[in-house]
Amino acid sequence: MFLEKTANACEYANSNMEYIKDQTETAISSTELQITKYYAYKAINGIEKTRSNFDACGCKEAITTLDDVLIHLKNATAADTHSSSKTALQKALDNTLKGIKELQNFGFSANEVYGDNMLVLNTKEVLDAQGGILLPEGKLLQQQIHNGLKDFEISIDNIVKQLDCDEARKFIKKTYDNASIALLNTDLTKPKKIYHQRVKTITQNALAKIQDCQ
């Protein structure tokens, strides 16, 4: 159970880092200082609301990098000129990209140690939840991964409800695209295929809810 929670936390942390990257890039591309600062504040808010995912993931390098990102974002919001704000934002973006790479490397390292167990819940706990009824292996595996992604599904639902429609669609679409790309890997093990397919289904359903932003 611990390994599954760690894997999910790292997945969420990576999605959080992608969101921070998107907001920072939007801030850099903005032509007005106040708009630039607005998106910088959104990136800061993204860090403060999701820091627990980074702690649960356990990637110390990414946590340290996240602290650096926060410092540069705060410098951007405190800047007096547009150019100095963008300079700080570029440093924040560079560190965000560094953090994404660190999380990816951490995930690969963990997979080498734990293998597919990172994507599978403890079987005994699942059987206890089923009242001791043993499901066929394929169904059991699907249920394990489905249960492990419940928090992710709730997070996506909250994004749909709380974020601006265009921003929510952009963020969820990127997560959907990442899952689609992952599924193109012919070397994926069965648990990972089911995992990425479930992520793709969750995000696809969310995109259907906000297909036409009004």
Side-chain angles (χ1 to χ4, degrees), residues 10-25 54 57 59-67 69 91-109 171 174 178:
C10 294
E11 182 76 19
Y12 303 152
N14 187 69
S15 294
N16 299 148
M17 205 63 110
E18 289 286 351
Y19 175 79
I20 294 164
K21 179 177 78 71
D22 288 344
Q23 300 308 307
T24 304
E25 288 176 337
F54 290 86
C57 174
C59 180
K60 294 181 180 179
E61 293 82 1
I63 293 173
T64 300
T65 299
L66 188 70
D67 290 334
V69 172
K91 292 179 181 178
L93 179 59
D94 291 342
N95 277 277
T96 301
L97 295 173
K98 177 184 175 184
I100 291 173
K101 186 174 182 179
E102 288 169 342
L103 284 170
Q104 291 174 342
N105 290 338
F106 181 76
F108 292 144
S109 175
F171 178 70
K174 178 167 288 188
N178 288 339

Side-chain angles (χ1 to χ4, degrees), residues 13 85 89 109 115 170 183 203:
S85 181
L89 284 168
S109 175
K170 180 180 178 182
L183 286 169
T203 50

Side-chain angles (χ1 to χ4, degrees), residues 68-126:
D68 292 336
V69 172
L70 183 60
I71 290 171
H72 294 308
L73 287 173
K74 288 183 175 180
N75 288 340
T77 61
D80 295 327
T81 65
H82 203 189
S83 59
S84 58
S85 181
K86 287 195 174 185
T87 298
L89 284 168
Q90 186 59 54
K91 292 179 181 178
L93 179 59
D94 291 342
N95 277 277
T96 301
L97 295 173
K98 177 184 175 184
I100 291 173
K101 186 174 182 179
E102 288 169 342
L103 284 170
Q104 291 174 342
N105 290 338
F106 181 76
F108 292 144
S109 175
N111 278 333
E112 290 175 0
V113 176
Y114 300 118
D116 293 334
N117 288 330
M118 292 197 70
L119 298 177
V120 181
L121 292 169
N122 182 277
T123 303
K124 183 178 182 300
E125 293 176 2
V126 175

Side-chain angles (χ1 to χ4, degrees), residues 175-185 196 200:
T175 306
Y176 171 85
D177 289 342
N178 288 339
S180 299
I181 292 172
L183 286 169
L184 295 176
N185 183 357
H196 290 299
K200 185 177 178 180

